[in-house]
Amino acid sequence: MSVSETYRDIYRVVSQIPRGRVATYGQVARLAGRPGQARLVGYALSALNDRSVPWQRVVNARGEISLRSGGSQGECEQRLRLESEGVEFAPDGRIPLERHLWRPDGDGVRQQTL
DNA sequence: GTGGTGACTGCCA
DNA sequence: ATGGCAGCCACCA
């Protein structure tokens, strides 16, 4: 394999993010069994080369899109993809985590209660 | 094996 | 409210 089990675990968690919802790096890290190590998630996604993984649903703690080193059109593409999935963006370009933050435990029980 | 860096987060000023 | 510094783990040279 090209990736370690840690990466694979991270990808697995990211793949479990439901459509129309987003998760923070820290959250994914915690679910992946690496609490407090959001950097690894970001780094794992940076090394990610698989379109099967919805990496676009992973945002930073502020609900903004973290763009990669050097900067690229990935940011715009990510936003478009999320909007296409039903994720709303605030005027300031942020995502209301209160509404779209993924709740693994809730499992879509109370998230839709706007 | 060692050193530096990174798509982050949280606390302090 | 914003800005800056330190820390964690894994990958690359």
Side-chain angles (χ1 to χ4, degrees):
Chain A
M1 282 299 288
S2 306
V3 298
S4 304
E5 295 183 22
T6 304
Y7 273 36
R8 194 166 52 205
D9 197 22
I10 291 172
Y11 299 150
R12 185 176 302 171
V13 173
V14 175
S15 300
Q16 290 172 2
I17 302 174
R19 178 175 167 278
R21 249 169 250 175
V22 296
T24 64
Y25 289 90
Q27 186 176 7
V28 174
R30 188 171 61 150
L31 293 173
R34 299 292 181 303
Q37 298 152 266
R39 291 188 125 183
L40 300 184
V41 178
Y43 196 55
L45 294 181
S46 69
L48 179 59
N49 198 18
D50 192 333
R51 291 177 294 189
S52 304
V53 181
W55 57 270
Q56 67 245 34
R57 293 174 189 153
V58 182
V59 296
N60 62 18
R62 293 201 253 161
E64 285 189 351
I65 297 174
S66 303
L67 59 98
R68 329 212 272 289
S69 60
S72 53
Q73 64 278 19
E75 179 188 3
C76 186
E77 184 178 325
Q78 182 173 8
R79 175 167 176 168
L80 291 175
R81 282 195 176 192
L82 290 173
E83 287 181 325
S84 183
E85 293 183 358
V87 176
E88 294 180 285
F89 279 77
D92 54 351
R94 282 191 292 175
I95 302 173
L97 295 178
E98 305 165 332
R99 286 176 58 157
H100 292 289
L101 183 62
W102 175 42
R103 289 192 165 186
D105 195 39
D107 205 68
V109 176
R110 190 162 301 166
Q111 187 85 156
Q112 296 297 327
T113 308
L114 300 178

